[in-house]
Amino acid sequence: MALHPFDPISDAELRLTSKLIKDNTTGPFKPHFVQIDRDDPPKKEMIKYLQAEKKGLPLPRIPRVTHAFYYLDTTLHKALVNVSAAHIITDVALPKGVQGPLLADDLADIEALATSHPACVAEIEKLKLPDHIHVVCDPWMNGVDCKEDRFLIQCYMYLANANHPESNHYSLPLKFSPVFEGLSRKFVRMDYLPAGIDEKTAPTQPWTEFPLVEYHPDLNGESLRELKPLIVEQPEGPGFKVTGQKIEWQGWSFYVVPNVREGFAVYDIHFKGRSVIYRLSLNEMTVPYGDPRAPYHRKQAFDLGDAGFGATGNSLGLGCDCLGVIKYFDNRRTNREGEPVFIPSTVCLHEQDHGLLYKHVNYRTGHAVVARRREFAVQTIATVANYEYAVNLIFDQIGEIKIQVRATGILSTMPIEKGLTVPWGTNVGPMVMAAYHQHMLSFRIDPAVDGYQNTVVYDDVLRMEPNTKLNPYNVGFYTERSYVEKPGYVDQSPFTNRSYKIINENVINPTSKKPVGYKIMMPARQMLMASPESYNNKRAQFATQQMWVTKYRDGELYAAGEFTNQSQTDTGVGLWSKRNENVRNADPVVWATLGFTHIPRPEDFPVMPVEIHEIHVTPFGFFEKNPALDVPQSNNKFNKSVYYDDATSGAKSGAGSCCGKSNL
Amino acid sequence: MALHPFDPISDAELRLTSKLIKDNTTGPFKPHFVQIDRDDPPKKEMIKYLQAEKKGLPLPRIPRVTHAFYYLDTTLHKALVNVSAAHIITDVALPKGVQGPLLADDLADIEALATSHPACVAEIEKLKLPDHIHVVCDPWMNGVDCKEDRFLIQCYMYLANANHPESNHYSLPLKFSPVFEGLSRKFVRMDYLPAGIDEKTAPTQPWTEFPLVEYHPDLNGESLRELKPLIVEQPEGPGFKVTGQKIEWQGWSFYVVPNVREGFAVYDIHFKGRSVIYRLSLNEMTVPYGDPRAPYHRKQAFDLGDAGFGATGNSLGLGCDCLGVIKYFDNRRTNREGEPVFIPSTVCLHEQDHGLLYKHVNYRTGHAVVARRREFAVQTIATVANYEYAVNLIFDQIGEIKIQVRATGILSTMPIEKGLTVPWGTNVGPMVMAAYHQHMLSFRIDPAVDGYQNTVVYDDVLRMEPNTKLNPYNVGFYTERSYVEKPGYVDQSPFTNRSYKIINENVINPTSKKPVGYKIMMPARQMLMASPESYNNKRAQFATQQMWVTKYRDGELYAAGEFTNQSQTDTGVGLWSKRNENVRNADPVVWATLGFTHIPRPEDFPVMPVEIHEIHVTPFGFFEKNPALDVPQSNNKFNKSVYYDDATSGAKSGAGSCCGKSNL
C-alpha cells in the first residue's frame, strides 16, 4: 500500500535521510543525529489531496519530506530531505547557542560519567557511603540564566539502595551536581545545591542516615490489599475500524499518527461527514519550578522540545495501561548514527464506557429513554526522567473530544536538612523536599469547523440592566459575543462565564440561527508565575495566557518555537501572536494552555496518584439537535450486568427490568 | 437485626408517624401529608454511639425520631415524632405563607385539572387543534415575586403528539398558563406568556403548525448506529461488602442512607481506620432562569426543598443506569394519607475502572510500576419534571471522594414566534426557545478530619518579592495560608490558585510538618446572576458564593432553609453564616456551591447529553506518603485484555507483555 501523506516516517525513510546527509558531509566531523522525523505536508496541498480522496478522484502527488537535527562538532544543523525523490532540500547550520533536543543515547553516556568522572568520584568519596548505598544520576537540560553557547547537561545526583535496581531514585537528593558539556563530555563545573532555608550552600560532608522512601513492591514494606478482577470484555469484538493510520468509530474518522516530538498528532477529524479539526496535538509543555535558589531557577524542562514525547514514549502493556480490546501504534526515533530505534506500542486505542450519555424519564408513564456514553480513547504515556504524563484524546458519541492529561510518576526533589521546612516546597520524606512547580501544557488546535474559514470568538454572560420594563424583577442575563480579529490572546474571565468558541461565520445553524461552532471548555487557571523579566517567562510566552490565536502558517507547530533547549527567548507563539494580520473568517490556529500549579503533598510521594486535567472541545450549535439520538437504547440484554448477592457478598444474575421507572 | 441510628425510615415507622398524628388531630380537617422521613440523631449522641460501636462497648440508646410535614386545611404543620417510644414530641402550625414540598399525588391531580377545568378547556378550544395533537401540562411551584400566602401551582402547557405517550412534552410550549391553588384546587388565574422579543403577551390564537422535536426511538426518525457490546464483568464477584447500610471497600467504610429530600446521605466516612467526614450529601439545588419576563422571573425551582431528590428518584435499571455487579438501596415516601409508597432501587452501588492510578518507569531498566484506578460509585438519579440529575459520590483507592453531577433530561422551554431570536435564550426548534439558566447545587460537608475539631483554611500561591538575594532570577513563588475564624464565605481566587482545605490543627503530619488535611477542589465559577434586590437572590444566598462555612448545629442541614417552596427569604446559610461564633478548631460545616451557568445549545435538545461537573475532596497531607502503594500491580493475567485483530477488525487474545518498557 502506497504511503499516505499523513503516514509516519518509515525505517527506510529514516535511514535514507541520514544516509543522504552523511554522504553530503565533508570535513573531519561525522553527523551526530539527535532527531529525524517526517514533516507535515503543506496544508494547502493536503487539503486538495483530502478533497480528492473523499471524491474518489486521482490523488495529487505530495513529496514526503523529513527533517533532521544533527551536530557537526558543536554546531547544530537542520536539514530538510525529500525522501520521495531522495534529495536534500536544505541543510543549514544554526546560529551559535541554538541547541537540539536531548538524545537518550547521549544522556546515557553522561549519566555514566556523573559517577565515573574523577571530579565526581572525588566528590562521592567525601560522602563515605556504606556498601548498600550508591549514587545515581538524573541528567537534565541545563536551562538558561544568561547567554550560553555550550550545550550543557546538569546532573542531579541522588542516593539509592545499591542492592535493588528499582530503589527510588529520588528520595535522597545529594547536594552537589556536576555539569558536563553535552557533546564533548568535558567536565565543566561542580554546582552545589542549597539544602537549608535560604540560598547558601555547603561543602560535601559524609552521610550517615539513609531514610529512603520506597515505592517498589519489593521494597515498600506494604501488605497488598485484596482486589477482585474487573474485566472489560467485547465478546463481538470492538466497534472501531483501523485502516493504516485511519480510525473510524461511531461517526468519527481521523488519522492518528505517532511522531517523536508530540507522541502523536491527530489529523483530518470528521464527525458524521463534517469536518471539525485539521490537526490536533499536544505541542509543548514547560514545567518551571518555584524554588528561587540556584540552580533550581534553571529547572524548566520543555518536555517536548527538549526531549520529545514520542522519543520518551512508554511501550504500553496490554492490560496494564489500557483495558479491553486494544490496538497499538508504534513509533521510531533515530540514534546518533542515524539508524532507526523501534519503540513499539507507544499509542493505544480502545473503547471504554463512561456512564450515562443521556436519560429522561416521563414521570407520568415511568417510561425512560436512556443511552450509555461509549468513548474511544487514544492514549500515549511519556516518561520524562521522573515524571510520567498520560495524554488521552477521548472521542464520544455526540461529537465531543475530551483532551485529558494525567500527571503521575515521581516528583522532582531537592535536598533538605532534617527538621527544616521552606515556604516554596513540601517535605515528602525526612531529608527530601519537593519544590512547588507548574505544569503548563500547550494544545494546538488547527480547526476546520465545517470548512477552513473559521473565526475564534468568546462569549460572556452578563446581567441585564436592572429595573427596566424588560427586566423589572432584576433576574435577567444575556450573552455578549466578542470576535478575535488579530493574532493575540484572550483574557480569562471565569466570573462572566467566558467561553471560547471556534465558529464558521459562513454556515448558519437553521435552528439556532447562529453560526455553527465548537466550544473549548477550560476552567480558569493561574498562569505562569515566573516574572516577565525572568528567562523562564521570556522562553515560554505561551504559558502566560490560557488562549492564544495565531494565523496559520506551515511549520508553525510548537508553542515555544522549534528549538527550546537552552533557548534565550520564545521563537513560537510569543512572536507569531504579534503579527498584524487578520484571523477572522480566515485560517486561525488556537493554542490552548492547560496549566496547573502543583503544590506537592506527601501523598504525591514516592509515586504520585494521577492528577487529571481536561479540556473539552464540544459542539456548540454545530448540530440542529442532539446528534446521538441514533445511539441504541441501553438494555441489560446487551450490557449483562448482575446483582450483588447479599447472601454471599458475591454476584447473582438477574434479567433486570430495563430502564428505570420514576415515581413523581 | 435492631435498627441502626443511621438506618433509613421503615414502612412501620412511617405508618406509626402518620397514625399518631391522625389520632391526635381534632376538628373538621384530616391531615394531608406531604413529607415524612427520619431525622438524624443528635450529633453529640451519635459520636458516642459510633465510638462505642468501634470499641465493641455497649451501645447507647438513641431514640429514632421522624418528622412530618402536613396540612390541616391550608395551614402547614411540622411534627416531630419519637417512633421508638411511639409519641409525638412536638407538633406546630407554621406561619401563614410557609409551604411544604410538592407531593407527586397532588401534582397529578392538578395536572389533570389543567386540561379539564372549564377555564382551561375554554382556552384550549381557541387553539382549534387537530385530533393528533393534544395539550399536556407540567405543574410547577409558583415561585415568588411578592408576599403570597396561598400555595399556588403554575401549570406550564405544551402541545404533543396525541398518538404516542412518549411524544416530547417540551417542544411546543403554549402561550397561556393556568394557576391553581395547590390544596383547594381552585382556579386562580390564567397567565399569558410572552413569545416575542419583549415582555408583551397576546390572546390565544389557533395553532396551525406543529413542528414537534422528538427524541423517542419510535418517533425521532433516526436509523440506529451500530454498537458492539462492552461488558463489565467481575468473575470473582465484587470487591465491596454491604452490611445493612454500611459499605466497606478498599479501606473505606461509610453508611449510605436513602432519604426523600436529598436522595441519599453518606455518614461516618472513614479511610484506613481514620475519620474523614461525618456527613456528606447534596442538600439543595436551585435553578433560576435568566429570561427576565413574567412569568419566567418566578421560575426558580429548589429541587430538593420543593420536591425532594429521593421522592423523585428513578428506580434504576440493571444494565441501564449502572454497569457491572450492582447493589441497590430502596427509598420510600409518604402519600397524602400517610401511607408508605415504595420506590425501589433509587441508589446503586458498584465498582468501576477509571484508567491509570499511578505509573512510573525507570527508564534505565525499562521496569515499570503501574496500578489501575479502581473506583466505587454511589449513584442516584432524580427526575424533576423535565430535568434529570445523576449525583455520584465516587470513592477511590487513595482516599479521594469525587462528587460528580451529570445534568441531563430535557431543557425547560418557552414559546417563541417563528423567525425570532432573543438574547437570553437559544432557539432549539422552530417555535421553541430554551432560556439561559443556572444550576446551583449545594453540597454539605460536615467534616471529621482525624476527629471532630477541624479548621477551614485556604491557601494562595503568590509570587515572591523580585530581585532579592533569595529570588534574584524572579522565578520564586510560595503559599500563604488564611484561616476561617468566623462563619461566612470565602471569595474565589483562581489566579492565586486558591484552594480550600479542611485541616485538623491538633494533628501534625510528621513528614510535611503541617496539620493533616483534606483539600476541596472546585474550579472557579460564575455565581448567581439574579441581582441582590431580587427574590431569587434573597431566597438562595448560598448560590451567591462558592464556599460557605457555618458552625455546626443539629438540624441545620439545607442551604436555603427547611421550607423553600414559595419562601420569601433564605432561612439557611444566609442566616447561619452571619452568626458571630468561632469556627476555628471547632465544629465547622462546609457548604460548597457547585454552580454552572447553562447557555443551552441546540445539541442539548430534545434530550441533553450529560454535562458533567465535579468537586474533588482529596487528602492533602493526611498521609505521610501515597496510601495506595498497597494496591496490587496491574497485569494482564488479572485484567485479561486482548489485541485488536487487524486481519478481521475483531479481537485476538495475547498474553501481552506486562507493564511497559520505556526507551529513554
Side-chain angles (χ1 to χ4, degrees):
Chain A
M1 197 171 75
L3 284 177
H4 190 283
F6 284 149
D7 278 349
I9 197 171
S10 68
D11 280 352
E13 288 174 329
L14 198 153
R15 282 196 180 97
L16 177 60
T17 301
S18 61
K19 181 180 191 315
L20 288 168
I21 290 167
K22 282 185 273 195
D23 289 351
N24 196 46
T25 299
T26 55
F29 302 109
K30 280 196 189 350
H32 173 145
F33 293 94
V34 293
Q35 189 177 101
I36 297 177
D37 209 348
R38 161 181 89 40
D39 271 16
D40 275 352
K43 186 174 180 182
K44 235 171 158 182
E45 303 309 312
M46 198 57 209
I47 288 172
K48 292 184 193 145
Y49 183 103
L50 294 168
Q51 286 168 341
E53 202 179 33
K54 280 180 184 49
K55 295 172 181 160
L57 294 171
L59 302 169
R61 286 179 166 283
I62 307 181
R64 285 174 61 83
V65 171
T66 62
H67 73 269
F69 302 151
Y70 68 94
Y71 283 95
L72 278 182
D73 191 24
T74 61
T75 301
L76 184 68
H77 283 242
K78 175 180 175 181
L80 286 177
V81 178
N82 178 332
V83 290
S84 302
H87 74 87
I88 297 175
I89 303 172
T90 58
D91 191 335
V92 292
L94 293 155
K96 238 171 141 58
V98 177
Q99 305 298 347
L102 309 174
L103 190 73
D105 324 359
D106 293 326
L107 288 182
D109 290 350
I110 294 191
E111 191 169 334
L113 267 184
T115 50
S116 63
H117 188 284
C120 303
V121 170
E123 204 71 29
I124 290 169
E125 271 172 9
K126 297 176 190 173
L127 299 170
K128 298 204 188 314
L129 297 174
D131 286 341
H132 72 284
I133 297 292
H134 69 164
V135 175
V136 293
C137 162
D138 238 32
W140 268 61
M141 61 292 287
N142 186 70
V144 171
D145 62 5
C146 63
K147 185 99 179 63
E148 172 60 73
D149 288 343
R150 295 168 298 176
F151 172 13
L152 299 176
I153 298 290
Q154 177 106 46
C155 293
Y156 288 105
M157 312 291 277
Y158 307 82
L159 296 178
N161 180 341
N163 296 328
H164 198 295
E166 304 310 321
S167 173
N168 187 359
H169 197 96
Y170 301 97
S171 70
L172 265 187
L174 285 168
K175 293 178 265 186
F176 60 87
S177 171
V179 177
F180 292 90
E181 276 198 58
L183 298 159
S184 68
R185 320 288 200 228
K186 271 213 299 265
F187 175 82
V188 173
R189 65 178 190 262
M190 188 68 74
D191 282 346
Y192 292 88
L193 276 49
I197 57 169
D198 59 23
E199 74 287 353
K200 298 196 202 58
T201 63
T204 301
Q205 297 286 326
W207 280 65
T208 50
E209 292 184 74
F210 307 98
L212 296 164
V213 185
E214 300 286 9
Y215 58 84
H216 194 276
D218 294 351
L219 299 167
N220 67 25
E222 302 276 344
S223 313
L224 289 182
R225 300 188 202 190
E226 201 201 329
L227 197 64
K228 297 270 177 76
L230 190 146
I231 316 286
V232 171
E233 221 188 276
Q234 295 203 269
E236 294 179 28
F240 59 99
K241 183 169 148 204
V242 183
T243 320
Q245 305 304 129
K246 185 173 184 174
I247 311 296
E248 287 164 285
W249 178 78
Q250 292 286 297
W252 290 99
S253 76
F254 47 82
Y255 294 81
V256 175
V257 186
N259 70 58
V260 293
R261 186 165 181 149
E262 300 168 313
F264 66 90
V266 184
Y267 300 82
D268 195 38
I269 303 176
H270 281 65
F271 183 63
K272 295 204 164 194
R274 293 164 67 193
S275 76
V276 180
I277 290 175
Y278 178 72
R279 190 187 193 280
L280 171 61
S281 70
L282 173 68
N283 73 87
E284 191 53 85
M285 184 168 89
T286 191
V287 185
Y289 283 77
D291 189 327
R293 310 168 296 175
Y296 310 125
H297 67 295
R298 281 186 284 104
K299 274 189 102 159
Q300 183 192 18
F302 285 78
D303 287 316
L304 275 68
D306 293 353
F309 256 39
T312 62
N314 292 181
S315 290
L316 302 172
L318 192 67
C320 302
D321 304 292
C322 323
L323 214 64
V325 179
I326 321 293
K327 168 68 181 173
Y328 292 97
F329 284 143
D330 308 311
N331 217 330
R332 51 187 41 75
R333 66 168 178 91
T334 188
N335 66 10
R336 267 195 293 256
E337 288 74 35
E339 286 293 310
V341 176
F342 184 59
I343 315 172
S345 305
T346 56
V347 181
C348 69
L349 304 98
H350 63 91
E351 284 185 286
Q352 56 193 26
D353 176 278
H354 192 56
L356 278 192
L357 174 61
Y358 69 77
K359 183 176 189 186
H360 182 64
V361 176
N362 178 353
Y363 68 79
R364 300 156 194 80
T365 60
H367 186 91
V369 289
V370 54
R372 292 193 67 82
R373 189 188 169 102
R374 186 70 67 81
E375 297 179 331
F376 184 79
V378 182
Q379 173 170 238
T380 196
I381 304 176
T383 297
V384 268
N386 53 298
Y387 257 127
E388 264 75 12
Y389 297 93
V391 178
N392 273 258
L393 293 188
I394 301 170
F395 297 80
D396 80 358
Q397 293 157 306
I398 65 135
E400 176 171 308
I401 305 170
K402 187 164 57 181
I403 297 170
Q404 182 186 93
V405 176
R406 296 186 182 219
T408 179
I410 307 182
L411 294 168
S412 192
T413 52
M414 288 73 177
I416 191 158
E417 300 293 353
K418 262 179 75 180
L420 299 180
T421 60
V422 288
W424 53 75
T426 303
N427 288 18
V428 291
M431 296 168 73
V432 58
M433 179 268 289
Y436 299 165
H437 53 283
Q438 300 186 284
H439 303 266
M440 313 299 285
L441 286 77
S442 178
F443 284 90
R444 179 178 179 280
I445 304 169
D446 182 355
V449 174
D450 253 347
Y452 300 101
Q453 298 294 103
N454 286 172
T455 298
V456 179
V457 300
Y458 51 100
D459 294 332
D460 293 299
V461 181
L462 307 171
R463 285 184 172 145
M464 286 181 193
E465 206 191 318
N467 300 317
T468 61
K469 196 140 162 265
L470 185 62
N471 186 30
Y473 303 99
N474 299 319
V475 301
F477 53 93
Y478 66 103
T479 45
E480 190 174 82
R481 174 161 286 187
S482 307
Y483 293 79
V484 176
E485 311 267 359
K486 299 267 176 224
Y489 61 84
V490 180
D491 280 312
Q492 297 183 58
S493 185
F495 306 122
T496 62
N497 200 54
R498 178 167 293 175
S499 65
Y500 315 111
K501 300 178 176 84
I502 302 171
I503 66 173
N504 188 326
E505 297 187 75
N506 313 295
V507 183
I508 304 301
N509 183 313
T511 291
S512 68
K513 309 198 188 309
K514 297 192 172 139
V516 298
Y518 255 76
K519 179 165 70 165
I520 302 173
M521 296 170 69
M522 307 179 69
R525 286 290 165 83
Q526 180 178 55
M527 302 308 288
L528 190 65
M529 290 301 274
S531 300
E533 322 89 70
S534 67
Y535 270 100
N536 296 12
N537 185 301
K538 291 179 193 167
R539 301 172 68 201
Q541 284 290 288
F542 79 86
T544 62
Q545 299 290 343
Q546 189 176 66
M547 174 63 46
W548 296 87
V549 182
T550 63
K551 190 177 178 67
Y552 180 88
R553 283 195 197 176
D554 285 331
E556 291 182 354
L557 290 170
Y558 312 117
E562 189 171 23
F563 299 105
T564 57
N565 186 13
Q566 290 181 216
S567 61
Q568 289 280 304
T569 184
D570 188 324
T571 57
V573 165
L575 292 185
W576 309 328
S577 64
K578 294 190 169 77
R579 292 195 297 244
N580 185 14
E581 307 168 301
N582 174 58
V583 292
R584 179 170 177 179
N585 203 24
D587 200 357
V589 175
V590 165
W591 309 77
T593 309
L594 180 59
F596 52 108
T597 300
H598 189 178
I599 305 301
R601 46 176 188 165
E603 290 88 348
D604 290 337
F605 203 68
V607 64
M608 178 178 159
V610 295
E611 194 168 304
I612 304 177
H613 296 272
E614 297 179 353
I615 298 174
H616 293 207
V617 180
T618 194
F620 192 88
F622 193 67
F623 296 104
E624 291 196 65
K625 56 179 180 168
N626 180 341
L629 294 181
D630 56 351
V631 172
Q633 295 290 292
S634 220
N635 71 71
N636 202 34
K637 217 168 123 216
F638 190 81
N639 290 324
K640 297 193 186 346
S641 293
V642 296
Y643 288 112
Y644 173 90
D645 187 341
D646 290 299
T648 65
S649 299
K652 67 184 181 192
S653 59
S657 71
C658 189
C659 309
K661 297 187 179 308
S662 171
N663 293 279
L664 181 64
Chain B
M1 195 170 76
L3 285 177
H4 190 282
F6 285 148
D7 279 348
I9 197 171
S10 67
D11 280 352
E13 291 175 325
L14 198 153
R15 282 197 181 94
L16 177 59
T17 301
S18 62
K19 181 180 194 309
L20 288 169
I21 290 166
K22 282 185 272 195
D23 290 349
N24 195 47
T25 300
T26 54
F29 303 108
K30 280 199 190 345
H32 173 146
F33 293 94
V34 293
Q35 190 177 98
I36 297 176
D37 209 348
R38 160 181 86 45
D39 271 16
D40 274 353
K43 186 174 179 181
K44 236 172 157 179
E45 302 309 312
M46 198 56 208
I47 288 173
K48 292 184 193 144
Y49 183 103
L50 294 168
Q51 287 168 341
E53 201 179 34
K54 280 180 184 48
K55 294 172 184 162
L57 294 171
L59 302 169
R61 288 180 164 282
I62 307 181
R64 285 173 62 83
V65 172
T66 62
H67 73 269
F69 302 150
Y70 69 95
Y71 284 94
L72 278 182
D73 190 24
T74 61
T75 301
L76 184 68
H77 283 244
K78 174 180 175 181
L80 285 177
V81 178
N82 178 332
V83 290
S84 302
H87 74 87
I88 296 176
I89 302 172
T90 59
D91 190 336
V92 292
L94 294 155
K96 236 170 142 63
V98 177
Q99 306 297 347
L102 308 174
L103 190 74
D105 323 358
D106 294 326
L107 289 181
D109 290 350
I110 295 191
E111 192 170 332
L113 267 184
T115 49
S116 63
H117 188 284
C120 303
V121 171
E123 205 71 29
I124 290 169
E125 271 171 9
K126 297 177 191 172
L127 299 170
K128 299 203 187 314
L129 297 173
D131 288 340
H132 73 283
I133 298 290
H134 69 163
V135 175
V136 292
C137 162
D138 239 30
W140 267 62
M141 62 292 286
N142 186 70
V144 172
D145 62 4
C146 62
K147 184 100 180 64
E148 172 61 72
D149 289 341
R150 295 167 298 175
F151 172 13
L152 299 177
I153 297 292
Q154 178 106 46
C155 295
Y156 287 106
M157 311 293 275
Y158 307 82
L159 296 178
N161 181 341
N163 296 328
H164 198 295
E166 304 310 321
S167 174
N168 186 358
H169 197 97
Y170 301 97
S171 71
L172 266 187
L174 286 169
K175 294 178 264 187
F176 60 87
S177 171
V179 177
F180 292 89
E181 277 198 58
L183 297 160
S184 68
R185 320 288 199 227
K186 271 213 298 262
F187 174 82
V188 173
R189 65 177 190 262
M190 188 68 75
D191 282 348
Y192 292 87
L193 276 48
I197 57 169
D198 58 22
E199 75 286 353
K200 299 197 202 59
T201 63
T204 302
Q205 298 285 326
W207 280 65
T208 51
E209 292 183 76
F210 307 97
L212 296 164
V213 186
E214 300 287 11
Y215 57 83
H216 195 276
D218 294 352
L219 300 168
N220 67 24
E222 302 275 344
S223 313
L224 290 181
R225 302 188 203 191
E226 201 201 332
L227 197 64
K228 297 272 177 76
L230 189 147
I231 316 286
V232 171
E233 221 189 282
Q234 294 202 271
E236 293 180 27
F240 59 99
K241 183 169 148 206
V242 183
T243 320
Q245 305 304 128
K246 185 172 182 175
I247 310 297
E248 288 164 286
W249 178 78
Q250 292 285 298
W252 290 99
S253 75
F254 47 83
Y255 294 81
V256 174
V257 186
N259 69 59
V260 292
R261 187 165 180 151
E262 300 169 313
F264 66 90
V266 184
Y267 299 83
D268 195 39
I269 304 176
H270 280 65
F271 183 64
K272 295 205 165 194
R274 295 163 66 193
S275 76
V276 180
I277 290 174
Y278 178 73
R279 189 186 194 282
L280 171 61
S281 70
L282 173 69
N283 74 87
E284 191 54 85
M285 183 168 91
T286 191
V287 184
Y289 283 76
D291 189 327
R293 310 168 296 175
Y296 311 124
H297 67 296
R298 282 187 283 104
K299 274 189 103 161
Q300 184 192 16
F302 285 77
D303 287 315
L304 274 67
D306 293 351
F309 254 40
T312 62
N314 292 181
S315 290
L316 302 172
L318 192 66
C320 303
D321 304 291
C322 324
L323 215 64
V325 179
I326 321 293
K327 167 70 181 171
Y328 291 97
F329 284 141
D330 309 310
N331 217 331
R332 52 189 38 77
R333 67 168 179 91
T334 187
N335 66 10
R336 268 194 291 255
E337 289 74 36
E339 285 294 308
V341 174
F342 183 58
I343 314 172
S345 305
T346 56
V347 181
C348 70
L349 304 98
H350 62 93
E351 284 185 287
Q352 58 192 26
D353 175 279
H354 193 54
L356 278 192
L357 175 61
Y358 70 76
K359 183 175 189 186
H360 182 64
V361 177
N362 179 352
Y363 69 78
R364 300 156 194 79
T365 61
H367 186 91
V369 289
V370 55
R372 292 194 67 84
R373 188 188 169 102
R374 186 70 65 82
E375 296 179 333
F376 183 78
V378 183
Q379 174 170 240
T380 196
I381 305 176
T383 298
V384 268
N386 53 298
Y387 258 128
E388 263 76 10
Y389 297 92
V391 178
N392 273 256
L393 292 188
I394 301 170
F395 298 79
D396 79 359
Q397 293 157 306
I398 64 136
E400 176 171 308
I401 305 170
K402 187 164 56 180
I403 298 170
Q404 184 188 92
V405 177
R406 296 186 182 217
T408 179
I410 306 182
L411 295 168
S412 192
T413 52
M414 288 70 177
I416 191 158
E417 301 292 354
K418 263 178 72 180
L420 299 181
T421 59
V422 288
W424 54 74
T426 303
N427 287 18
V428 292
M431 295 169 74
V432 57
M433 179 268 289
Y436 299 165
H437 54 282
Q438 300 186 285
H439 303 266
M440 313 299 285
L441 286 77
S442 178
F443 284 90
R444 181 178 177 280
I445 304 169
D446 183 355
V449 174
D450 254 347
Y452 300 101
Q453 298 294 103
N454 286 171
T455 298
V456 179
V457 301
Y458 51 100
D459 295 333
D460 292 300
V461 181
L462 306 170
R463 285 184 172 147
M464 286 180 194
E465 209 193 314
N467 300 316
T468 60
K469 194 137 162 271
L470 185 61
N471 186 29
Y473 303 100
N474 300 317
V475 300
F477 54 93
Y478 65 103
T479 46
E480 189 174 83
R481 175 160 285 186
S482 307
Y483 293 79
V484 176
E485 311 266 1
K486 301 267 177 226
Y489 61 85
V490 179
D491 279 311
Q492 299 185 55
S493 185
F495 306 122
T496 61
N497 199 55
R498 176 166 294 174
S499 65
Y500 315 111
K501 299 178 177 86
I502 302 171
I503 65 172
N504 188 326
E505 297 189 74
N506 312 296
V507 182
I508 304 301
N509 183 313
T511 291
S512 67
K513 307 195 190 312
K514 297 190 171 143
V516 299
Y518 256 75
K519 179 164 71 164
I520 303 173
M521 297 169 69
M522 307 178 69
R525 286 290 164 82
Q526 181 179 55
M527 303 307 288
L528 190 65
M529 291 301 273
S531 300
E533 322 89 70
S534 69
Y535 269 101
N536 296 14
N537 184 301
K538 291 178 192 165
R539 300 172 69 204
Q541 284 291 288
F542 79 85
T544 62
Q545 300 290 343
Q546 189 176 66
M547 173 63 46
W548 296 87
V549 182
T550 63
K551 190 176 177 67
Y552 179 89
R553 283 195 196 174
D554 284 332
E556 290 182 355
L557 290 170
Y558 312 116
E562 188 171 25
F563 299 105
T564 57
N565 187 12
Q566 289 181 218
S567 60
Q568 289 280 302
T569 185
D570 188 325
T571 56
V573 167
L575 291 185
W576 309 328
S577 64
K578 295 191 168 77
R579 292 195 298 244
N580 186 15
E581 305 168 303
N582 174 57
V583 292
R584 179 170 176 179
N585 204 23
D587 199 359
V589 175
V590 164
W591 309 78
T593 309
L594 182 59
F596 51 107
T597 299
H598 190 179
I599 305 301
R601 47 177 187 166
E603 290 89 347
D604 290 338
F605 203 68
V607 65
M608 179 178 159
V610 295
E611 194 168 305
I612 304 177
H613 296 273
E614 297 179 353
I615 298 173
H616 293 208
V617 180
T618 194
F620 193 88
F622 193 66
F623 297 105
E624 291 195 65
K625 56 179 179 168
N626 180 340
L629 293 180
D630 57 350
V631 171
Q633 295 290 293
S634 219
N635 71 71
N636 202 34
K637 217 170 123 215
F638 190 81
N639 290 324
K640 299 195 187 339
S641 293
V642 296
Y643 289 113
Y644 175 90
D645 188 340
D646 290 298
T648 65
S649 299
K652 65 182 182 193
S653 59
S657 70
C658 188
C659 308
K661 297 184 180 309
S662 171
N663 293 278
L664 181 64

